[in-house]
Amino acid sequence: MAELIYPGEKVAVNTSVQKPIAQIALIGNPNSGKSSLFNQLTGLNQKVGNFPGVTVDKKTGICQLSAQQKVRIIDLPGTYSLYPKSLDEKVIIDLLYNQQSELYPDLVIITADASNLKRNLLLFTQLVDLQIPAVLALNMMDVATKEGVKINVEQLQQDLGVPIVPVNARNGSGMAALKILISQQLPAPDRTFFKIPEKLEGLVHQIRQHFNLQNDYLAWHYLHQFKNLTFLSETDKTYIAELLQQYEFNSNTLQANETIGRYTQINELLLDSVRVEKPDNNEKFSNRLDQILTHKVWGYLIFFTVLFMMFQAIFAWATYPMDLIDEGVTAVNAFIQSHFDGPLISLLTEGVIAGLGGILIFIPQIAILFAFIAILEETGYMARVTFMMDKIMRKFGLNGKSIVPLISGVACAVPAVMAARNIDNWKDRMITIFVTPLMSCSARIPVYTVLIALVVPEKYYLGFLNLQGMVLMGLYLLGFIAAVLSAWVMKIILKTRERSYFIMEFPVYKMPRWKNVGLTIIEKVKAFVFEAGKVIIAISIILWVMASYGPGERMAEAEQTIQQQAKQYNWSPEETEIRLSSEKLESSYAGVFGHAIEPVIRPLGFDWKIGIALLTSFAAREVFVGTMSTIYSVGDSENIKTIKEKLLAEKDDAGQVFFTPARAFSLLIFYVFAMQCMSTLAVVYRETKSWQWPVMQLIYMSGLAYVCSFIVYQLFK
Amino acid sequence: MQKSEKSVRDLKIGESGTICCLSDPEMSLKLLEMGCIPGTPVKLNSKAPLGDPITIIVNDYTLSLRLDEAATIKLK
């Protein structure tokens, strides 16, 4: 069929980009040791970027083959076939089917688990049919041997028509052979596994001509997946859709037949090269371990113990490095401030470095949380947890895998939102990300402590039940209930075509590979610092400007007034300094903002001072305490007792105590629900690659906070 | 494909059967890729503490799936 070629369209394709080095895509089933192999090949030479336009991380790394030769390795998401089921997997087809893509590989390394060759070869045969030069890395030969699976590698290589390298991605053996192999110019495989059904040959031919494709199977995938191929234009998609109608193309049936056909071929092929000597190995170690670890009673008990340990680690261990970072940033700021002066310096110290500190301080928590998650993931325990929790979580529109982000949210929503990446169903993942910030994170603790100390008496019941502690627990519970109920509502609202699956391989228990754990931590920390960090610094600077500058001459006037009063009442320099910062904050834009929103927050029992605190808390909730102590001119913001005294001494216009229980509880409830954390918003933006989600979160959570605070205040005042 | 009443959902723990067909066209693609091919023996391995999801053994490896999903795997 003759096609009109529009010169303008064809020129736009970036054929001129000369790839500086060869690109190798690493592809394989989940749990086939793909990530370990990637880590073995590239080590610390890794970079995490984004695939264009999607929420999936793109991991690339440089592999030094020899002194002269380097190649770029692209790590693709684990998949069972080239017909992707989740959004993550769609990245693969966008890359492999678009020969103009700058990531289009010169070679693919296919990792396969030797102990489960049959299923792993499905993906392999599909890739071979695409006729991209390929190498099969046969991983986990040791496991296969232990299970009585004997593989005749030479025979297999002959049958498959592609070079095979037995490797052990855990200890690195076979790497040298693999590197030698990939340094050569390998030819494209010449055998094919799949034959296009006869009556569709014409259709495939037409597609090949239209898109100028050199391979039948590639054209075949265009037919099945054109809707998911982002590089196709709408015209192209309509063109394919119309052709499909003409040919009465039934994608589901054809795919099912193809898969069955491939398995039939694989079965025959493996008869030659694979012998299983112990056919019945159902009583494997993993199965016996599962009887305890997924037991009705022990299973949950062990799980909660693991969780408890994780919290302990995040709360207790992370405190030390976090304090160090905090002190370090303060020291750097103090040093700069003592040596230099001026608005630029104060922008640098109070805006940029303070913002930077706000990012760095999360590193220990992120590192520890992801160390735990990586270990649980690596050992195979995480799959058991999701297995045990799935039924409960599903009722609320979540998924077994949502349990990890939700629970980590109690420490900090930032790594928790990142942990939601393990959820492969889009809807489940979005709901999880959306509700996670409702879990009471550790940054709320200082706010909770100050306010509880203010209005809840330190009473004991039954000798050990501390009333303040019980209120604190109630606040956590409230956050959890809000999260779960919101998820349930979202489940009803959110429409999606993607179905929620729980069909997954149950991995066998393994020792974690520490190198992988380490690299996961580095990767997560880097992602947070560089991606979320940008937004956090930007907002820090904006907040700094709002708190440091005021309209007109108000700031200068405030300073004058205080200096005069200082002389008049003979204040000490410290006292003057404290009053000055309080006065300045009131005159600043932040103060103006506080006054401006006062009518809005008055029904909640808040005044303009709390309004300022609400604004500055946006940097991070714990800033609330610092701001309150500045506004109320408390010298020592670390000391809860002095803050408490100051707040208790605060009188309203009528001369009554300002912080009544109604006000304090209203404020507490506000902090339980409100989205006041730019780090979380930044991370949600990063994870969803759109502003839609963080903005929705901001509106929803603030709305929820407002309504609940309103109810609390109006009921109790 | 003939219709069969019994599905993987109806198996007891430790009981085996042979896959006859998959009843949900969309889900079947995923299951086929995971090795649930008609004619393959399948064994119900375990159930989650709340009875759902379950794990099955096909082709010598363990697969976990929900009861709704298991119900689409019909047995001979």
Side-chain angles (χ1 to χ4, degrees), chain A residues 80-81 83 85 89 116 118-119 122 252 255-256 259-260 263 276 279 281-282 284 287 294-296 300 387-388 390-392 394 399 497 499-506, chain B residues 24-38 40 43 45-55 57 59-69 72:
Chain A
Y80 293 103
S81 89
Y83 293 103
K85 301 294 179 287
E89 295 168 6
N116 197 343
K118 199 187 288 178
R119 201 203 51 225
L122 176 73
N252 270 352
Q255 275 185 52
T259 308
I260 295 172
Y263 269 120
V276 183
N281 49 14
N282 290 335
K284 278 188 286 195
N287 273 342
T294 62
H295 185 265
K296 278 186 183 70
Y300 288 111
F387 180 66
M388 286 194 290
D390 185 64
K391 193 180 180 185
I392 308 170
R394 214 185 320 159
N399 166 316
R497 276 188 19 245
R499 276 171 77 167
S500 173
Y501 290 106
F502 199 71
I503 305 168
M504 59 173 199
E505 189 183 350
F506 224 49
Chain B
D24 181 326
E26 202 189 325
M27 194 98 70
S28 71
L29 293 174
K30 178 81 184 162
L31 288 166
L32 284 172
E33 278 167 12
M34 301 299 284
C36 298
I37 304 290
T40 313
K43 176 174 153 184
N45 180 52
S46 70
K47 288 184 173 184
L50 298 170
D52 184 15
I54 57 169
T55 66
I57 294 178
N59 292 318
D60 268 341
Y61 78 96
T62 315
L63 195 65
S64 80
L65 68 172
R66 291 174 179 162
L67 280 182
D68 293 347
E69 291 153 2
T72 71

Side-chain angles (χ1 to χ4, degrees), chain A residues 426-657:
Chain A
W426 178 83
K427 181 177 171 179
D428 294 353
R429 179 167 169 227
M430 287 305 136
I431 297 181
T432 309
I433 290 179
F434 190 79
V435 303
T436 294
L438 283 166
M439 303 295 289
S440 276
C441 67
S442 57
R444 286 175 173 101
I445 295 176
V447 185
Y448 288 173
T449 331
V450 167
L451 292 172
I452 288 177
L454 205 60
V455 285
V456 180
E458 211 180 333
K459 255 196 223 154
Y460 282 88
Y461 293 100
L462 302 171
F464 66 96
L465 284 175
N466 177 315
L467 186 61
Q468 292 185 332
M470 274 155 58
V471 171
L472 185 67
M473 201 182 82
L475 294 175
Y476 272 85
L477 216 61
L478 197 62
F480 174 71
I481 293 169
V484 168
L485 289 182
S486 307
W488 181 73
V489 173
M490 288 275 286
K491 173 182 133 184
I492 299 166
I493 299 172
L494 212 57
K495 295 275 178 281
T496 168
R497 276 188 19 245
E498 203 182 352
R499 276 171 77 167
S500 173
Y501 290 106
F502 199 71
I503 305 168
M504 59 173 199
E505 189 183 350
F506 224 49
V508 287
Y509 287 105
K510 280 184 214 135
M511 270 302 285
R513 282 143 294 187
W514 301 109
K515 189 175 177 179
N516 289 359
V517 175
L519 287 167
T520 304
I521 297 171
I522 293 173
E523 182 198 313
K524 301 289 175 187
V525 168
K526 261 164 92 179
F528 172 71
V529 170
F530 292 114
E531 302 279 335
K534 284 183 241 166
V535 182
I536 296 171
I537 294 216
I539 301 179
S540 298
I541 293 173
I542 295 170
L543 282 178
W544 172 83
V545 170
M546 289 191 72
S548 314
Y549 289 92
E553 295 297 306
R554 286 180 59 172
M555 294 296 265
E557 282 165 21
E559 186 151 5
Q560 268 181 356
T561 324
I562 291 295
Q563 297 295 5
Q564 274 173 8
Q565 285 182 352
K567 271 186 205 141
Q568 202 178 335
Y569 301 107
N570 212 2
W571 288 336
S572 67
E574 290 84 35
E575 177 89 26
T576 316
E577 193 56 40
I578 294 163
R579 302 238 176 186
L580 186 61
S581 51
S582 158
E583 191 69 23
K584 271 184 163 174
L585 190 56
E586 192 190 340
S587 319
S588 70
Y589 286 108
V592 172
F593 174 86
H595 280 290
I597 66 163
E598 203 180 32
V600 184
I601 55 176
R602 193 167 277 283
L604 314 182
F606 305 163
D607 63 353
W608 61 270
K609 294 181 179 177
I610 298 178
I612 298 179
L614 294 186
L615 175 71
T616 56
S617 291
F618 191 69
R621 293 180 182 86
E622 62 267 38
V623 172
F624 170 83
V625 178
T627 307
M628 290 302 265
S629 57
T630 307
I631 304 176
Y632 291 108
S633 315
V634 183
D636 184 5
S637 71
E638 297 286 309
N639 192 337
I640 289 171
K641 271 225 171 91
T642 51
I643 297 177
K644 183 181 160 185
E645 280 162 15
K646 266 285 190 205
L647 295 185
L648 278 178
E650 185 71 9
K651 297 282 187 286
D652 65 6
D653 300 335
Q656 301 292 316
V657 174

Side-chain angles (χ1 to χ4, degrees), chain A residues 89-146:
Chain A
E89 295 168 6
K90 291 201 170 102
V91 165
I92 297 169
I93 59 170
D94 247 349
L95 190 140
L96 288 179
Y97 301 170
N98 180 8
Q99 288 164 345
Q100 257 73 47
S101 161
E102 47 182 301
L103 296 168
Y104 188 78
D106 302 292
L107 174 84
V108 286
I109 301 176
I110 307 160
T111 52
D113 171 357
S115 66
N116 197 343
L117 207 49
K118 199 187 288 178
R119 201 203 51 225
N120 278 261
L121 285 185
L122 176 73
L123 176 68
F124 171 85
T125 63
Q126 290 178 333
L127 281 162
V128 165
D129 283 346
L130 282 179
Q131 289 181 302
I132 304 172
V135 173
L136 179 65
L138 203 52
N139 195 12
M140 305 189 208
M141 288 289 274
D142 50 334
V143 183
T145 314
K146 223 186 272 172

Side-chain angles (χ1 to χ4, degrees), chain A residues 341-361:
Chain A
D341 202 15
L344 263 183
I345 293 302
S346 114
L347 169 69
L348 177 72
T349 54
E350 288 160 31
V352 180
I353 299 182
L356 202 64
I359 299 160
L360 298 179
I361 199 150

